[in-house]
Amino acid sequence: MIRLDDLRMGARFCRRLPRYLRAPLTLATAGRMLRHRLARREDAFLGLVKQAIYLNDTSPYRELLRLAGCEYGDVERLVRQAGVEGALHALLRHGVYLSVSEFKGRQPVVRGRTELHVSPERLRNPLSESHVSVRTSGSRGAGTPVPIDLAFVRDCAADTLLALDARGAGACAKAHWQVPGGGAIARLVEYSSFGAPAARWFSQIDPGDPMLHPRYRWSARLMRWTSQLAGVPLPRPEHVPLDDPRPILTWMTESLRAGARPHLFSFTSSAVALCQAASRAGIDLTGAYLTVVGEPVTATRMNVMRRLGAEVAVRYAIIECSSIGHGCLSPEAADEVHFLSDLHALVRPGPGVTVAGVPPRGLLLSSLRLAAPFVLLNVSMGDEAEVTERSCGCPLARLGWGTHLHTIRSREKLTAGGMTFLDTDVVRVLEEELPARFGGGPTDYQLVEDEGTDGRPRLRLLAHPALGALDEARVVDAFLTAVGRRGGAEEVMARMWHDAGFLKLDRRPPYATPSGKILHLHVRRATQQGAAAPVQ
């Protein structure tokens, strides 16, 4: 059933979208926005801290700051003396931070003798509106609903336009290849904020599937009807499954023949699959542009995509805070991005600094925009990376984004095929449901993610040979049905993987770590040899 909150949000979206689409960003406007935001970072940070924390009686950060002995005047003094990042480092040393488990509400916040209970709901930004709702899959608990304000979408769109223009791709014909939902709608609206609106919306799940929740269908229709009334029509979703991307290749080749440069936004592994299909068909993608997101970008995957002539840019984003970085044009690593310091602030614990639940390379993010979905103050989302300040000489550095991130990895999520598993569900299915149906015990089943020499991810479900004869289709169906039972993003993920035949059964013993542990997920890369031994 559609909830009353969904209807209210839909009404706000319909009221706001026409005005949004009728005032597209120009390159000059985006440049002025960026320069203004970079020049006023300290004021933006202090304004958010004052309005959303100190004047907000329900903010958990107020108690953390009280425990640190910080009134607003103290924070302001720190910022004026040491800058935003200097102030954040000082607050971090006094316990003002949240690990990802604390942010998600999976464990209490313990500082000294004080214990606080935090949840994402309590950290929502009271200054922002909700026009589109995105839900994360989570990694150890229920998914987090993320309310998106169209004002924040516009904040991100200004940076996206500048990053695309730096590559000469600002006037591309734009398309998306993702799954249905609020995330796809937010990105379509973002990419329609400048130049011509997005031309195509390719969906990896059939939008007409009667088994999908009605919100996926009505939200797409609502966006299209409202945009048509505004005179800026946005595309309807077209089903293009992961294992047959020919309609996308047709669109791209027709665009190139017509003298237009096609730009596809998609998951990393989906873009790899597209390029491999193009290779098999003998299609040259020179002149095409790909933006990849949602999964780690390795050198192998990057080479597969570039081999066909396409230009590839990495976009680093987290659902809870949207864009974090755009790909460097002179990278030293395949996934190197410029950190968007006008939208967020970033610090790390660093060597010799112990922060419970956050590794030394862990990224601690803080919000700077009044329309951000959440108020983040030194919050870890479970990601870590190498952070450098270097003069790369690329146009993004000249825009003022001097901080680089690369080798970005998550310690929290299993992400493959562009989707994220909820690992509590995976544990339950591997240890309880599969043994109950097909025999064996909790260490007889394991998920293994491989990256082949072609750069494509492969996900295998290992079942110990001692279990005897098993029907592969039944075991795979049982697994996907169980992990998709929660509904929402998990259901979409399960259907996409089922339709694409992404998950395969492999009859071999699970792998063990050198210390003898049998992890529920074992990751093997193409360069890994003998990293773990199977358990006999």
Side-chain angles (χ1 to χ4, degrees):
M1 295 181 64
I2 297 175
R3 301 176 305 167
L4 183 59
D5 285 347
D6 291 332
L7 294 175
R8 289 171 175 162
M9 182 171 57
R12 288 193 296 270
F13 180 76
C14 288
R15 287 195 300 268
R16 180 66 184 277
L17 184 62
R19 179 159 49 95
Y20 183 101
L21 293 175
R22 288 170 180 156
L25 286 167
T26 65
L27 190 61
T29 300
R32 285 195 298 270
M33 290 171 66
L34 176 61
R35 290 190 295 272
H36 178 78
R37 295 195 303 227
L38 290 175
R40 294 180 56 83
R41 290 181 80 241
E42 294 183 0
D43 293 337
F45 175 73
L46 290 170
L48 188 63
V49 167
K50 184 174 185 178
Q51 295 180 62
I53 296 178
Y54 281 100
L55 297 180
N56 178 12
D57 292 339
T58 64
S59 173
Y61 296 119
R62 285 187 60 174
E63 182 63 14
L64 288 178
L65 289 162
R66 186 192 66 80
L67 292 171
C70 276
E71 298 296 336
Y72 174 74
D74 300 314
V75 176
E76 183 177 26
R77 195 158 40 251
L78 277 172
V79 170
R80 300 306 185 195
Q81 291 174 352
V84 174
E85 283 72 21
L88 289 170
H89 271 295
L91 294 174
L92 176 63
R93 292 192 294 270
H94 286 82
V96 181
Y97 72 92
L98 292 174
S99 70
V100 63
S101 293
E102 293 168 340
F103 172 83
K104 297 287 188 180
R106 298 195 297 252
Q107 68 181 45
V109 179
V110 179
R111 303 290 185 268
R113 297 182 179 181
T114 302
E115 181 174 300
L116 306 174
H117 293 275
V118 174
S119 66
E121 291 75 18
R122 294 188 64 196
L123 298 173
R124 286 183 181 174
N125 185 356
L127 307 176
S128 69
E129 291 190 83
S130 177
H131 299 112
V132 180
S133 181
V134 182
R135 178 175 287 272
T136 70
S137 294
S139 60
R140 301 183 186 275
T144 302
V146 181
I148 305 296
D149 190 327
L150 285 181
F152 190 65
V153 174
R154 197 172 187 84
D155 283 342
C156 297
D159 287 354
T160 300
L161 171 56
L162 292 168
L164 288 174
D165 179 74
R167 294 177 178 271
C172 282
K174 295 165 283 193
H176 285 234
W177 190 27
Q178 296 180 280
V179 295
I185 289 175
R187 295 290 74 76
L188 279 166
V189 172
E190 177 190 341
Y191 276 76
S192 298
S193 302
F194 49 85
R200 304 288 286 271
W201 175 7
F202 303 111
S203 173
Q204 296 179 356
I205 295 292
D206 184 356
D209 189 337
M211 298 302 293
L212 281 178
H213 193 286
R215 76 166 67 92
Y216 292 108
R217 291 190 292 276
W218 73 254
S219 60
R221 292 170 184 166
L222 189 66
M223 180 194 73
R224 180 163 173 79
W225 294 337
T226 305
S227 67
Q228 286 177 322
L229 290 173
V232 188
L234 299 183
R236 64 169 60 90
E238 309 167 51
H239 182 210
V240 178
L242 189 62
D243 60 351
D244 186 13
R246 286 177 296 177
I248 301 176
L249 290 174
T250 298
W251 169 75
M252 297 181 87
T253 53
E254 289 178 350
S255 297
L256 289 168
R257 281 197 296 267
R261 189 177 187 189
H263 173 200
L264 183 70
F265 180 100
S266 192
F267 303 126
T268 304
S269 59
S270 301
V272 170
L274 177 83
C275 290
Q276 290 182 312
S279 179
R280 290 191 296 270
I283 295 174
D284 182 5
L285 293 179
T286 299
Y289 184 84
L290 302 172
T291 293
V292 295
V293 70
E295 298 168 283
V297 179
T298 63
T300 301
R301 292 179 179 182
M302 184 65 79
N303 290 337
V304 169
M305 292 183 283
R306 287 179 171 165
R307 199 174 298 147
L308 274 295
E311 183 172 348
V312 185
V314 179
R315 173 165 167 159
Y316 173 40
I318 296 175
I319 290 177
E320 290 90 344
C321 46
S322 193
S323 297
I324 298 175
H326 284 296
C328 179
L329 279 74
S330 302
E332 293 184 342
D335 65 344
E336 186 168 3
V337 298
H338 286 260
F339 177 69
L340 303 181
S341 53
D342 57 309
L343 301 181
H344 321 281
L346 169 68
V347 299
R348 293 193 302 171
V353 179
T354 301
V355 179
V358 183
R361 294 174 66 248
L363 306 178
L364 291 159
L365 294 164
S366 297
S367 309
L368 295 182
R369 305 304 303 154
L370 292 179
F374 293 101
V375 179
L376 304 181
L377 186 61
N378 280 342
V379 176
S380 166
M381 290 297 174
D383 285 357
E384 58 183 33
E386 296 298 330
V387 180
T388 63
E389 300 283 342
R390 70 180 185 90
S391 299
C392 65
C394 94
L396 300 191
R398 293 194 290 272
L399 287 171
W401 295 318
T403 300
H404 294 244
L405 310 180
H406 69 83
T407 318
I408 304 162
R409 298 293 183 266
S410 172
R411 297 168 60 93
E412 289 289 315
K413 299 181 283 291
L414 161 58
T415 302
M419 305 306 292
T420 302
F421 268 117
L422 186 64
D423 65 7
T424 49
D425 286 349
V426 172
V427 171
R428 186 195 73 250
V429 174
L430 294 178
E431 293 192 351
E432 300 174 19
E433 297 199 23
L434 293 185
R437 290 193 59 178
F438 303 104
T443 60
D444 287 325
Y445 299 89
Q446 184 185 49
L447 281 175
V448 174
E449 185 188 21
D450 287 321
E451 178 183 296
T453 55
D454 59 2
R456 292 191 64 182
R458 296 190 296 258
L459 195 66
R460 294 181 290 139
L461 175 60
L462 303 191
H464 202 289
L467 298 175
L470 293 175
D471 185 317
E472 176 177 354
R474 287 185 61 213
V475 177
V476 170
D477 283 349
F479 178 87
L480 291 176
T481 298
V483 297
R485 192 177 298 143
R486 184 182 293 271
E490 290 82 5
E491 178 190 4
V492 173
M493 173 274 296
R495 287 186 173 277
M496 184 185 78
W497 285 12
H498 182 276
D499 293 348
F502 188 73
L503 181 66
K504 302 294 185 183
L505 184 69
D506 194 348
R507 300 305 309 278
R508 65 172 299 159
Y511 291 97
T513 66
S515 62
K517 296 179 181 179
I518 302 175
L519 304 177
H520 299 99
L521 167 69
H522 178 73
V523 179
R524 287 174 61 85
R525 299 301 178 199
T527 55
Q528 275 187 292
Q529 298 294 333
V535 177
Q536 304 298 332

